[in-house]
């Protein structure tokens, strides 16, 4: 997109009183006035650059640590209204997709912009399914990790290692190549995750079963033991599929931003996905589901909840799984997850930690500290309870986030690559360090 109008210096003109889509700025240091275009409720930061005190000044910049009020791209993938608690992929509400779609169809939607026809879905499913196997050398690579290696560490490394196995992936401006890497990434992430899990248990790897659904096959690779044919429990298979739909994309979050930023250097998509996976690993992002479970275990019983909340309000701890940069209302995904939890408990038995979680939520939603700051449960508050009931160890929780988010990352990466306005990402800084000074020889330093 080009600016609707170039920045105009108005110092010598009187500002017009007619309504127009512009912003008039007066620099009180100089009296300089300029008018800059507003489009989509946004001004372009570069339009501030002509604002200077001296002609050789660099010009005015925006300062926005953590990008709290800066749009870094235009996107047509995911829409969020954080105040109203709305989340849509390509215009479809998350509630409707969770009810009616499958993860594999949703991944197609995110990547292609439209829901697939029957034949498109069959073709897409076939190709993803037929890219689930990994090179035998990757197995050896996984075998090199200690038994207690965190599976996210294994995921980050093995996804990056795929770059070395598929040198054709460097051809990022070739749509055919991008399509192939997309099949490979979406197809292989569950295999890498399952192999990391089996390695940590010292159990033999289970190869993909192409007769099963995406999630059914994942459960097969994780949990199959001596059965000739693994048959996933349909409730658990569907629950996982819905959780994958909910986690597929979330616009410009930390990991998608990492994907775009690293991808903007034109590195291959495996390296960019490894960077995104690393970003997701942190406890403030996709690692929060693991952190929530650790917190619930630490709280230990309902009686201890008030004391924990007190320490949160004293600034000593965070109530993990609460709060969100964008949602200042109940995260719409958290509502859906809460319902799935009970469906899983019906099959696997109740997770006793749910009582502690519900009590945390009850107290927090009534407490002024949380109400004033608009802190509500986010998607991660209940997912850990479900994963634990399904038999996953806590360390696997962030991995269960990374698998479905891969489709969102690739959609964001491809949109960035094809956007003529995007270039290598390179923020500015406000330098506040020392001015030029002379080098002091070691013997003269105090
Ligand atoms: N517990 C207690 N207080 C909190 C929490 C929390 N979980 N989250 C925010 N606050 C407080 C902050 O201390 C701050 O208080 P102050 O105004 O008195 O300083 C205020 O609420 C605003 O919080 P910020 O940290 O400015 O909000 P920000 O948008 O930067 O952070 C974040 C969002 C990182 C998600 C934060 O809410 C958090 O740390 N939550 C816990 C971790 C978590 O659940 N992460 C998962 C996010 S969802 C996802 O990535 C899938």
């Amino acid at each position: 997109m080009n600016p609707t109008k170039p920045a105009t210096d108005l110092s010598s003109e009187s500002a017009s009183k007619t309504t127009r889509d512009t912003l008039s700025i007066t620099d009180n240091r100089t009296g300089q006035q300029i008018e800059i275009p507003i489009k989509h409720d946004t001004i372009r930061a570069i339009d501030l650059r002509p604002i200077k005190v001296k002609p050789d000044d660099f010009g005015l910049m925006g300062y926005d640590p953590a990008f709290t009020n800066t749009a870094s791209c235009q996107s047509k993938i995911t829409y969020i209204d954080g105040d109203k608690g709305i989340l849509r992929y390509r215009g479809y509400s998350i509630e409707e997709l969770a009810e009616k779609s499958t993860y594999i169809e949703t991944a197609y939607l995110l990547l292609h912009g439209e829901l697939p026809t029957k034949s498109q879905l069959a073709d897409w499913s076939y190709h993803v399914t037929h890219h689930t196997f990994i090179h035998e050398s990757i197995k050896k690579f996984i075998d090199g990790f200690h038994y207690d290696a965190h599976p996210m560490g294994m995921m980050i490394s093995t996804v990056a290692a795929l770059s070395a196995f598929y040198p054709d992936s460097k051809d990022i401006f070739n749509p055919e190549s991008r399509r192939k890497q997309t099949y490979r990434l979406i197809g292989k992430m569950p295999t890498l995750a399952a192999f990391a899990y089996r390695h940590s248990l010292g159990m033999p790897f289970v190869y993909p079963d192409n007769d099963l659904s995406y999630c059914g096959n994942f459960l097969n690779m994780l949990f199959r033991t001596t059965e000739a044919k693994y048959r996933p429990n349909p409730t658990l298979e569907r629950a996982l599929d819905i959780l994958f739909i909910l986690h597929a994309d979330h616009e410009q979050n930390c990991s998608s931003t990492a994907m775009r930023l690293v991808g903007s250097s034109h590195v291959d998509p495996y390296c960019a996905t490894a960077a995104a996976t690393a970003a997701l690993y942190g406890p403030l992002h996709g690692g929060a589901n693991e952190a929530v479970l650790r917190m619930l275990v630490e709280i230990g019983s309902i009686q201890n909840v008030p004391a924990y909340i007190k320490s949160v309000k004293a600034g000593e701890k965070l109530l993990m799984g609460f709060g969100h940069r964008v949602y200042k209302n109940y995260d719409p995904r958290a509502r859906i997850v809460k319902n799935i939890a009970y469906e899983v408990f019906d099959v696997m038995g109740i997770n006793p930690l749910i009582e502690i979680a519900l009590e945390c939520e009850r107290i927090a939603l009534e407490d002024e500290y949380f109400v004033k700051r608009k802190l509500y449960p986010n998607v991660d508050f209940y997912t850990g309870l479900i994963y634990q009931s399904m038999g996953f160890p806590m360390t696997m929780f962030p991995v269960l986030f990374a698998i479905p988010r891969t489709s969102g990352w690739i959609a964001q990466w491809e949109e960035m690559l094809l956007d003529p306005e995007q270039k290598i990402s390179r923020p500015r800084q406000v330098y506040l360090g020392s001015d030029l000074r002379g080098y002091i020889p070691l013997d003269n330093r105090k």
Side-chain angles (χ1 to χ4, degrees):
M1 181 190 79
N2 291 318
T4 42
K5 279 192 244 166
T8 321
D9 193 328
L10 292 184
S11 9
S12 57
E13 299 172 18
S14 62
S16 161
K17 291 206 171 66
T18 55
T19 308
R20 52 188 190 274
D21 291 336
T22 60
L23 178 71
S24 297
I25 302 171
T26 304
D27 182 352
N28 292 322
R29 298 170 303 176
T30 59
Q32 181 195 14
Q33 288 186 311
I34 67 161
E35 182 177 339
I36 58 177
I38 299 176
K39 195 168 180 188
H40 307 304
D41 287 333
T42 309
I43 59 159
R44 287 180 171 257
I46 198 73
D47 287 344
L48 300 174
R49 195 69 82 68
I51 302 175
K52 302 177 177 194
V53 174
K54 297 192 284 316
D56 59 348
D57 280 353
F58 183 76
L60 203 67
M61 292 188 295
Y63 174 59
D64 189 8
F67 306 119
T68 54
N69 197 39
T70 295
S72 61
C73 63
Q74 298 178 53
S75 183
K76 294 183 175 170
I77 303 170
T78 292
Y79 172 77
I80 301 177
D81 183 326
D83 291 326
K84 296 197 182 117
I86 292 173
L87 169 61
R88 294 179 199 142
Y89 299 157
R90 301 284 189 182
Y92 295 98
S93 81
I94 195 66
E95 290 81 4
E96 203 174 2
L97 290 170
E99 189 191 332
K100 300 176 183 163
S101 186
T102 60
Y103 170 68
I104 209 72
E105 182 185 66
T106 298
Y108 182 99
L109 171 70
L110 285 170
L111 284 149
H112 298 83
E114 297 296 335
L115 286 167
T117 62
K118 267 188 191 164
S119 67
Q120 285 168 333
L121 183 60
D123 185 65
W124 166 246
S125 221
Y126 174 89
H127 284 291
V128 171
T129 307
H130 286 79
H131 285 86
T132 46
F133 276 68
I134 54 172
H135 196 287
E136 287 293 294
S137 296
I138 293 266
K139 267 174 42 187
K140 292 187 204 142
F141 188 82
I142 293 173
D143 271 332
F145 287 102
H146 285 186
Y147 75 94
D148 59 352
H150 196 291
M152 274 303 259
M154 291 195 247
M155 285 295 281
I156 294 162
S157 324
T158 47
V159 176
L162 292 179
S163 156
F165 284 83
Y166 302 113
D168 59 317
S169 64
K170 312 237 171 295
D171 197 8
I172 55 170
F173 289 105
N174 175 345
E176 272 312 306
S177 170
R178 283 203 305 274
R179 196 191 321 254
K180 187 114 190 229
Q181 315 321 322
T182 301
Y183 295 145
R184 284 175 174 155
L185 269 164
I186 297 179
K188 291 180 202 313
M189 284 297 267
T191 315
L192 295 177
F195 281 23
Y197 171 69
R198 301 283 290 206
H199 174 72
S200 66
L201 297 179
M203 288 179 74
F205 299 130
V206 176
Y207 282 74
D209 180 343
N210 288 355
D211 295 340
L212 298 174
S213 71
Y214 189 78
C215 286
N217 172 49
F218 181 44
L219 292 169
N220 159 64
M221 292 188 290
L222 290 161
F223 298 128
R224 186 171 149 210
T225 50
T226 54
E227 313 90 301
K229 178 91 180 165
Y230 182 84
R231 307 250 171 239
N233 176 296
T235 305
L236 302 186
E237 184 182 4
R238 179 62 188 150
L240 196 59
D241 204 47
I242 296 173
L243 289 170
F244 277 14
I245 293 171
L246 301 183
H247 286 87
D249 193 51
H250 212 231
E251 50 115 314
Q252 308 314 314
N253 53 80
C254 180
S255 55
S256 303
T257 302
M259 182 83 188
R260 281 179 174 261
L261 193 135
V262 173
S264 78
S265 74
H266 293 176
V267 71
D268 68 69
Y270 301 106
C271 290
T273 303
T277 313
L280 189 75
Y281 188 9
L284 297 188
H285 190 13
N289 50 18
E290 182 180 344
V292 170
L293 241 275
R294 292 191 191 283
M295 175 189 79
L296 295 176
V297 170
E298 182 194 330
I299 295 174
S301 77
I302 293 189
Q303 291 71 29
N304 298 336
V305 172
Y308 191 88
I309 298 280
K310 199 172 161 202
S311 64
V312 169
K313 288 163 63 177
E316 293 158 13
K317 288 175 175 155
L318 285 173
L319 185 58
M320 299 311 290
F322 260 70
H324 199 277
R325 172 61 59 78
V326 180
Y327 293 119
K328 301 301 168 198
N329 199 327
Y330 214 100
D331 180 337
R333 301 167 299 174
R335 278 189 211 287
I336 302 170
V337 171
K338 209 170 159 182
N339 293 335
I340 300 172
Y342 288 99
E343 287 169 25
V344 171
F345 297 161
D346 281 345
V347 178
M348 304 301 287
I350 192 113
N351 185 331
L353 294 174
I354 185 84
E355 301 297 336
I356 302 174
L358 288 170
E359 184 65 359
C360 286
E361 181 183 334
R362 190 190 65 77
I363 296 185
L365 293 184
E366 287 172 359
D367 192 294
E368 204 215 329
Y369 175 94
F370 296 90
V371 173
K372 206 171 85 192
R373 291 170 177 78
K374 299 188 176 169
L375 301 172
Y376 292 87
N378 59 51
V379 68
D380 285 326
F381 193 62
Y382 288 103
T383 48
L385 291 168
I386 301 178
Y387 295 145
Q388 192 184 46
S389 293
M390 288 174 83
F392 290 103
M394 281 186 232
T395 52
M396 279 297 282
F397 298 176
V399 173
L400 295 164
F401 195 152
I403 296 169
R405 183 52 64 86
T406 302
S407 55
W409 288 333
I410 303 170
Q412 299 285 345
W413 168 74
E414 193 163 41
E415 189 176 65
M416 177 275 302
L417 278 185
L418 301 182
D419 180 346
E421 282 210 319
Q422 291 290 343
K423 340 172 171 199
I424 187 165
S425 287
R426 207 303 183 184
R428 296 278 176 182
Q429 64 167 5
V430 179
Y431 178 71
L432 299 176
S434 300
D435 213 340
L436 179 66
R437 46 187 178 160
Y439 180 82
I440 305 166
L442 187 58
D443 289 343
N444 298 355
R445 287 178 220 158
K446 297 202 171 102

